[in-house]
Amino acid sequence: MTKLKNDKNKKHYFSEVEPSELTEICGKIIEEEIEIKAWEQGKSDKEVETFIPKTYSADDRILEISLGGGLLSKLSSSKLLDKDIFIKIGSDKFQFFSTSILEYNKDTKTYFIVLSRSLFKTQQRTNYRLQSSTYIRIQFRIDADTLKEGLDISAGGTSFIVPKEEASLYQKNHIFKDCKLGLNSEKFNIPSAKVAATWPAKNASDEPTGELNVGIAFEDLTPETEELLFRYINGEARADEMRKMMDKRKKDKEK
């Protein structure tokens, strides 16, 4: 069995932003007019709306935003008003995630959200990669006849091992459509999955096994699926860290 190396990008997993960082973050997204994607929690991508950040008040953590899109979008009202929403703020290097209530100030005629809840940060290219274990089972179904046991999972993709005889089926940039992902008891629809890379599989002694590692990148995820993946992986990551902490304490007591 191939042994995975321990959490290469461990230091890059989802982290909670300190309240003291909010002013700087909001200042940057306002200056660069970075889009904010918002949708009602648990709803599909048809409900997604785009907003542009305008001003930020550090005293009460209020971020004033305006509807993005074309002229018609700006003239219409948001369907998310007064609803509990999931928000994603993207940039070239980082993405920020949180939840809030979309509110409207009748006096100033502007939308706003209060950033009083936890705000999480992740690097897009270094998402927390959760490894399969006794507690984490990852399954990736390419089609009705092809089910692979995943080695690891992140919000951006997964990986698995195939025999060298199957190498021609996993050429770089090849795209599989309508795939399914199983992460423990959770199931996710993956509309498009691209072969991002392949490399020789190695055993615990760092020797080639003759098999092939296949790295898969998820594409065209709906916001709902992206939200669920983010939350589930983040939750399992925290649980994994807790288990390791408890195991360490147990071993320390046994010394």
Side-chain angles (χ1 to χ4, degrees):
M1 181 179 178
T2 300
K3 182 179 180 181
L4 291 174
K5 294 184 178 180
N6 292 328
D7 297 336
K8 288 183 178 179
N9 52 6
K10 188 179 182 68
K11 64 182 179 180
H12 299 301
Y13 80 109
F14 305 108
S15 58
E16 189 169 354
V17 174
E18 293 293 333
S20 59
E21 299 180 73
L22 274 176
T23 300
E24 181 179 353
I25 292 170
C26 290
K28 181 177 177 61
I29 66 173
I30 290 170
E31 179 183 356
E32 299 182 10
E33 296 187 333
I34 295 174
E35 288 186 339
I36 298 173
K37 299 291 185 180
W39 59 95
E40 187 176 358
Q41 294 194 57
K43 298 296 184 179
S44 71
D45 58 340
K46 293 181 180 179
E47 306 296 328
V48 172
E49 295 182 8
T50 300
F51 295 86
I52 303 298
K54 292 299 182 181
T55 64
Y56 177 69
S57 172
D59 292 337
D60 42 25
R61 298 188 187 181
I62 290 179
L63 180 64
E64 183 184 296
I65 57 181
S66 64
L67 271 172
L71 180 60
L72 289 178
S73 297
K74 295 178 180 179
L75 292 176
S76 61
S77 300
S78 172
K79 296 180 180 179
L80 300 177
L81 186 61
D82 298 326
K83 293 183 178 179
D84 198 345
I85 58 173
F86 185 85
I87 58 176
K88 181 178 73 172
I89 305 170
S91 67
D92 292 337
K93 189 174 182 181
F94 294 100
Q95 284 189 338
F96 298 91
F97 299 84
S98 187
T99 60
S100 187
I101 303 292
L102 181 65
E103 301 180 68
Y104 187 77
N105 187 321
K106 294 181 180 179
D107 293 330
T108 61
K109 297 182 179 180
T110 56
Y111 292 101
F112 68 93
I113 53 177
V114 181
L115 299 177
S116 58
R117 302 178 183 176
S118 295
L119 179 69
F120 294 95
K121 174 178 68 176
T122 182
Q123 293 189 27
Q124 292 178 322
R125 295 193 175 96
T126 51
N127 284 331
Y128 188 96
R129 187 161 291 276
L130 193 65
Q131 296 184 11
S132 61
S133 67
T134 304
Y135 304 99
I136 306 296
R137 188 179 187 188
I138 304 158
Q139 292 185 306
F140 188 68
R141 182 172 289 283
I142 296 174
D143 54 42
D145 301 316
T146 311
L147 178 66
K148 299 296 182 182
E149 293 292 330
L151 299 175
D152 52 36
I153 179 74
S154 76
T158 187
S159 70
F160 49 80
I161 291 177
V162 300
K164 61 180 180 181
E165 293 79 14
E166 296 182 10
S168 61
L169 302 176
Y170 300 95
Q171 296 292 323
K172 185 176 180 180
N173 294 324
H174 180 77
I175 294 177
F176 298 103
K177 292 291 187 179
D178 300 321
C179 302
K180 305 291 183 182
L181 172 70
L183 180 53
N184 289 345
S185 61
E186 297 294 316
K187 307 298 180 185
F188 303 90
N189 292 319
I190 310 297
S192 180
K194 181 171 69 175
V195 177
T198 60
W199 63 98
K202 296 182 179 181
N203 58 25
S205 301
D206 206 34
E207 300 171 339
T209 65
E211 299 172 302
L212 192 69
N213 274 305
V214 178
I216 294 290
F218 301 147
E219 298 184 330
D220 301 330
L221 296 182
T222 66
E224 179 185 14
T225 299
E226 188 173 24
E227 173 192 348
L228 291 174
L229 260 178
F230 171 83
R231 288 188 171 187
Y232 197 82
I233 292 174
N234 190 38
E236 288 297 332
R238 290 179 180 276
D240 192 46
E241 290 301 314
M242 185 63 70
R243 284 191 292 267
K244 290 176 182 178
M245 186 182 300
M246 292 175 67
D247 287 342
K248 184 178 183 302
R249 289 178 179 175
K250 183 178 179 180
K251 290 179 181 179
D252 290 342
K253 289 181 179 180
E254 294 173 349
K255 290 182 180 179

